Amino acid sequence: MPAQSMEELVSLCKRRGFIFQGSEIYGGLQGFYDYGPLGVELKNNIKAAWWRTNVYERDDMEGLDASIIMHRMVLRHSGHEATFSDPMVDNRKTKKRYRLDHLVKDQKPAVQGAVAEAMGQSVENFAALVAAMVKDPARASAALVSAGVRDAFSGEVGDWTEPRPFNMMFKTTIGPVADDDSYGYLRPETAQGIFTNFKNVVDSTSRRLPFGIAQIGKAFRNEITPRNFIFRVRELEQMEIEFFCAPGTDEEWHEKWLAARLAWWEAQGVPREKIQILDVPREDLAHYSKRTYDLMYDYPTLGYEEIEGIANRTDFDLGSHTKGQEELGLTASVLPNEDSVAKLTIAHPDTQKPIVPFVIEPSAGVDRAMLAVLSEAYALETLENGTERIVLRLRPHLAPIKVAVIPLARNRPEIVEKARSVKQELQALGLGRILFEDSGNVGKAYRRHDEVGTPFCVTIDFDTIGKGDDAALTDTVTVRDRDTMSQERVAIKDLANLIRERLR
RNA sequence: GCGGGAGUAGCUCAGCUGGUAGAGCGUCAGCUUCCCAAGCUGAAUGUCGCGAGUUCGAAUCUCGUCUCCCGCUCCA
């Protein structure tokens, strides 16, 4: 049974070193989290599983790792600069929030005129009016109220707050001198790094349509309300694929990727029946999308929320970033681009004519994947003797620690030595982290490793070193299974193969 | 950003109408032929989220601020 509440997960994550609040010793910073000793292992394992499935096990994919800070022209032509910085106002009476420009535009002409007059502007130059209101928010707030700007929700004149710009992108200065032209953005999605490297990848790999580019990396969004542990954060990590295909084949590829992604989640221990597929309504689609499937996972406490979006981005992005747009027959509506120096085309597989391909984008959040994987793995069990144990039933390939090697007595140098050598031997297999565990007693060690999802514990005892009652057990160890709690006696010489097989 | 609730040891929490901080579990060290949070001995850990104010005196009252949780809003 998966986790019932977010709280028990948060508590376990903190207690066992998976996830900590960011900047905690200074009071914390909203929307930022740090991954601890076990968190980083789990996270790396999730990313490795994704890369293995989507890059290594396919014949139509390449990888990429683009920089986080991008030329601001990238985010301008992608449409992010315009849509990421709308000034907003709140109505204190109704608690509703509106985009300032929409709010004023929706008023009667006389009211619009009164707002403009109060700001010393004219309605004709609407952009200048909005700019003036952003520049002098106190005056703007008064103008909205005095002009009688009504709230569409209540139909009454609102008690309007000062307009505040909501810059969803993190802006930063580039180079030591901060002037108006020396700024850039931290990318709000990794996707743009793929689009801007499309030509480089095509030229350096001799790829033909259809093919995709995969990337895992950090992205930054100044979320208004970071909330719900690592579900909505301001610094996140994305696992994104941009899959390029010929127009007309995009819808078929969209369906194929939907199936492929659901299968991947299943393999990570997030079952199909816990995911709902949302065919995003047209009016909710992002500016670049023709159709999007949102995979909605049933998070504890939160209910069904997005874990991955699979979007058909058409030819919008490459079309936006390419030069010579007018001669390429784009289907998407894009802004003119006088800045790009590259033509982002590839040969059509049938006609061999240069075209801007369509793009299917499966985009998953690493942090949300962590949350889902942990939620599904979490179990609180009541044992036969009436005691309880918490166990993370993580798939072995995701477990932060693969095997814990435990000396039964730590005041016996021979046992400790033997345990260390077994640890080294297993570590050399390259399966991941093997931990030498000598704290507490063996029972506590077992329970501790249940709680962090270690699939196997290997215990070295007096029999192992030939000091037990049964000489036949010399050079054998106990292998204890996380899920069944069962134990078996295994010769050390067979241990490596056994562990390797079971961790597969 | 709005409304509600909360913040005391690593975790869960107690601490009255103000009088200088505690428990359980965990952690660490030692002992124990020790296989399912066993036992015994010992130890460490808190600017009571942070900052002001009121007071002779604040974990406790007031204000501000940060963070977390819930509901709105937002999530291109």
Side-chain angles (χ1 to χ4, degrees):
Chain A
M1 185 167 60
Q4 298 301 295
S5 75
M6 195 66 87
E7 263 120 5
E8 58 191 348
L9 270 185
V10 173
S11 174
L12 175 68
C13 285
K14 168 97 194 271
R15 192 154 37 91
R16 292 306 190 201
F18 283 91
I19 301 166
F20 309 120
Q21 169 74 220
S23 306
E24 193 178 49
I25 66 168
Y26 288 107
L29 192 59
Q30 201 179 15
F32 298 92
Y33 285 87
D34 299 335
Y35 288 84
L38 297 183
V40 65
E41 298 290 344
L42 176 54
K43 200 179 184 194
N44 283 341
N45 291 341
I46 289 171
K47 290 190 280 187
W50 185 89
W51 196 265
R52 193 164 55 238
T53 300
N54 292 297
V55 182
Y56 297 161
E57 294 178 1
R58 296 180 65 104
D59 297 316
D60 55 1
M61 293 289 296
E62 299 289 347
L64 183 74
D65 184 18
S67 70
I68 286 171
I69 295 179
M70 314 192 82
H71 197 292
R72 68 178 198 268
M73 285 303 160
V74 174
L75 284 321
R76 177 168 301 168
H77 287 291
S78 69
H80 289 83
E81 199 174 59
T83 55
F84 255 60
S85 58
D86 303 313
M88 311 284 280
V89 287
D90 291 303
N91 181 356
R92 295 190 186 89
K93 283 183 190 164
T94 60
K95 314 298 181 200
K96 295 291 175 187
R97 170 174 294 160
Y98 298 95
R99 270 175 62 168
L100 175 64
D101 54 339
H102 289 178
L103 178 70
V104 176
K105 269 250 168 78
D106 289 344
Q107 302 298 312
K108 288 174 183 165
V111 176
Q112 289 190 37
V115 173
E117 195 183 337
M119 295 305 297
Q121 299 286 329
S122 74
V123 178
E124 283 67 41
N125 193 342
F126 196 78
L129 171 59
V130 171
M133 295 182 80
V134 172
K135 202 169 180 185
D136 189 349
R139 190 176 172 186
S141 173
L144 291 171
V145 176
S146 67
V149 168
R150 290 177 186 277
D151 187 328
F153 179 77
S154 62
E156 295 174 0
V157 176
D159 180 5
W160 302 105
T161 63
E162 297 181 355
R164 287 178 310 274
F166 275 73
N167 292 311
M168 296 297 287
M169 287 196 291
F170 285 88
K171 202 173 184 178
T172 190
T173 49
I174 299 169
V177 182
D179 59 44
D180 286 350
D181 289 327
S182 64
Y183 67 88
Y185 296 109
L186 274 55
R187 64 186 180 196
E189 60 175 9
T190 61
Q192 296 305 321
I194 296 179
F195 297 130
T196 54
N197 279 290
F198 174 74
K199 187 172 157 52
N200 287 332
V201 173
V202 169
D203 290 349
S204 58
T205 62
S206 70
R207 280 288 176 188
R208 304 180 299 257
L209 291 183
F211 81 102
I213 301 176
Q215 179 170 223
I216 299 174
K218 291 280 180 97
F220 303 82
R221 302 178 181 190
N222 240 330
E223 296 286 355
I224 296 165
T225 314
R227 197 63 85 80
N228 298 321
F229 198 35
I230 54 172
F231 180 78
R232 176 162 294 125
V233 288
R234 288 182 165 138
E235 176 175 337
L236 56 132
E237 196 155 12
Q238 294 183 305
M239 304 182 285
E240 289 197 309
I241 293 163
E242 305 301 332
F243 193 82
F244 304 100
C245 58
T249 65
D250 53 305
E251 293 181 10
E252 183 188 338
W253 278 109
H254 201 183
E255 299 303 320
K256 283 184 186 170
W257 274 109
L258 173 62
R261 295 304 305 143
L262 287 167
W264 185 82
W265 283 111
E266 183 102 43
Q268 313 316 311
V270 183
R272 176 66 188 83
E273 59 268 23
K274 294 292 288 290
I275 294 176
Q276 291 180 353
I277 301 166
L278 175 66
D279 193 347
V280 179
R282 185 160 292 274
E283 61 270 25
D284 293 339
L285 289 174
H287 62 274
Y288 47 70
S289 179
K290 167 182 168 185
R291 188 176 190 183
T292 296
Y293 294 126
D294 277 349
L295 304 190
M296 311 292 279
Y297 169 72
D298 190 8
Y299 292 93
T301 305
L302 307 183
Y304 284 94
E305 292 284 354
E306 183 180 349
I307 191 172
E308 172 161 358
I310 305 170
N312 184 339
R313 292 177 77 133
T314 71
D315 54 0
F316 176 85
D317 296 279
L318 291 180
S320 293
H321 287 306
T322 192
K323 72 171 183 181
Q325 292 167 326
E326 51 291 332
E327 58 197 72
L328 294 171
L330 298 174
T331 67
S333 160
V334 297
L335 291 172
N337 190 333
E338 303 292 324
D339 302 302
S340 172
V341 298
K343 202 174 271 186
L344 306 183
T345 58
I346 189 169
H348 188 287
D350 300 332
T351 67
Q352 298 306 310
K353 293 224 168 74
I355 58 157
V356 175
F358 268 46
V359 177
I360 302 299
E361 179 198 66
S363 171
V366 179
D367 311 86
R368 290 182 180 186
M370 284 271 294
L371 196 51
V373 162
L374 283 169
S375 302
E376 284 302 315
Y378 185 96
L380 178 61
E381 291 184 345
T382 303
L383 303 177
E384 284 176 12
N385 64 7
T387 61
E388 289 186 329
R389 73 160 181 163
I390 292 172
V391 54
L392 284 187
R393 298 185 189 279
L394 292 168
R395 296 293 166 98
H397 73 279
L398 295 180
I401 298 168
K402 305 304 181 188
V403 180
V405 180
I406 305 168
L408 192 64
R410 63 178 155 164
N411 59 347
R412 299 289 152 160
E414 286 171 276
I415 289 180
V416 172
E417 284 305 305
K418 196 71 181 174
R420 287 201 184 277
S421 84
V422 169
K423 188 270 171 182
Q424 290 302 332
E425 188 187 335
L426 292 177
Q427 190 65 66
L429 299 175
L431 299 169
R433 184 155 200 211
I434 312 295
L435 195 78
F436 177 80
E437 173 67 75
D438 72 340
S439 62
N441 59 57
V442 67
K444 289 183 182 180
Y446 287 160
R447 295 301 176 84
R448 182 187 1 256
H449 282 281
D450 286 344
E451 228 178 45
V452 300
T454 307
F456 301 105
C457 290
V458 170
T459 301
I460 281 72
D461 60 16
F462 291 91
D463 288 320
T464 310
I465 59 168
K467 298 272 179 71
D469 299 330
D470 188 350
L473 294 177
T474 304
D475 282 327
T476 64
V477 295
T478 303
V479 177
R480 184 263 190 187
D481 183 272
R482 174 194 71 195
D483 296 335
T484 63
M485 297 172 70
S486 63
Q487 302 184 4
E488 61 188 305
R489 200 75 194 182
V490 176
I492 291 176
K493 64 178 171 57
D494 299 330
L495 189 58
N497 280 337
L498 180 120
I499 294 293
R500 202 186 342 238
E501 265 173 40
R502 293 197 184 166
L503 286 179
R504 189 171 291 164

